[in-house]
Amino acid sequence: DTEVTQTPKHLVMGMTNKKSLKCEQHMGHRAMYWYKQKAKKPPELMFVYSYEKLSINESVPSRFSPECPNSSLLNLHLHALQPEDSALYLCASSQGWGLAGDNEQFFGPGTRLTVL
Amino acid sequence: AQTVTQSQPEMSVQEAETVTLSCTYDTSESDYYLFWYKQPPSRQMILVIRQEAYKQQNATENRFSVNFQKAAKSFSLKISDSQLGDAAMYFCAYRRNNNDMRFGAGTRLTVKP
């Protein structure tokens, strides 16, 4: 299994809602990532988890709250979002940490989020 | 801070011909990885090719090859025998030791039949 899966595919939420995005991989990867991608722009790194611990937080607003319950699962909890947070949210995973050749990042298909 | 620059927002190629996408980057690191990712419309981002900075030999994957010039901090992608399925947004990316990966702005490639 060389897949990263993300649910839901699409999400529409109001600014007062609380929702969660889910990402799963069963490749035994120990690093997982959240990216935000606006239309016609490159992905921007939000968070990195390594061995289930938060390693990088790119100064993301607290209305985005990541969680890594286990090595296969990564969640992104959303609360009080703004319309400008509408974007494609990509999850990725890699085998490990550091500058190794097998640390290629595998991307999921993304969740397209619309905040009304 | 590391930056990745793709100076060609859009490129077009005739089917079966060759096209080269440009990428430059800025870094003070000596060890790093460079990547080209492909993102077809409404589809998943996939890795096309990668290059280790310590390797002088240019990476090749079937019809895809790179021209890596470390001193010039240049990393171009050549697609030979272009196919309709190659049409996509192509992102150049740089990764350093801490798994922090940075992407360029992307080049949208159109393949004409």
Side-chain angles (χ1 to χ4, degrees), chain A residues 64-115:
Chain A
F64 295 91
S65 175
E67 179 197 19
C68 190
N70 58 59
S71 59
S72 300
L73 190 55
L74 185 67
N75 298 321
L76 186 63
H77 303 298
L78 314 172
H79 174 55
L81 294 193
Q82 304 296 311
E84 59 264 29
D85 296 321
S86 298
L88 182 68
Y89 287 84
L90 296 169
C91 175
S93 71
S94 66
Q95 187 162 357
W97 181 256
L99 204 66
D102 57 2
N103 280 339
E104 168 192 340
Q105 290 187 25
F106 291 80
F107 284 82
T111 293
R112 190 161 297 281
L113 173 67
T114 303
V115 182

Side-chain angles (χ1 to χ4, degrees), chain A residues 4 31 33 35 37 41-43 45 56 58 88 90 94 96-101 103-105 107-109, chain B residues 31-33 35 37 39 43-45 47 50 52 89 91 95-106 108:
Chain A
V4 176
Y33 312 77
Y35 289 88
Q37 187 178 23
K41 296 289 186 183
L45 185 65
I56 294 178
E58 290 287 343
L88 182 68
L90 296 169
S94 66
W97 181 256
L99 204 66
N103 280 339
E104 168 192 340
Q105 290 187 25
F107 284 82
Chain B
D31 291 332
Y32 50 88
Y33 273 79
F35 305 86
Y37 278 89
Q39 190 176 37
R43 290 183 63 189
Q44 201 151 341
M45 187 165 318
L47 179 68
R50 68 179 173 199
E52 297 91 331
M89 183 71 91
F91 291 102
R95 177 169 66 83
R96 58 189 176 120
N97 195 40
N98 66 351
N99 272 11
D100 182 359
M101 191 152 73
R102 304 289 167 165
F103 290 85
R108 182 167 300 282

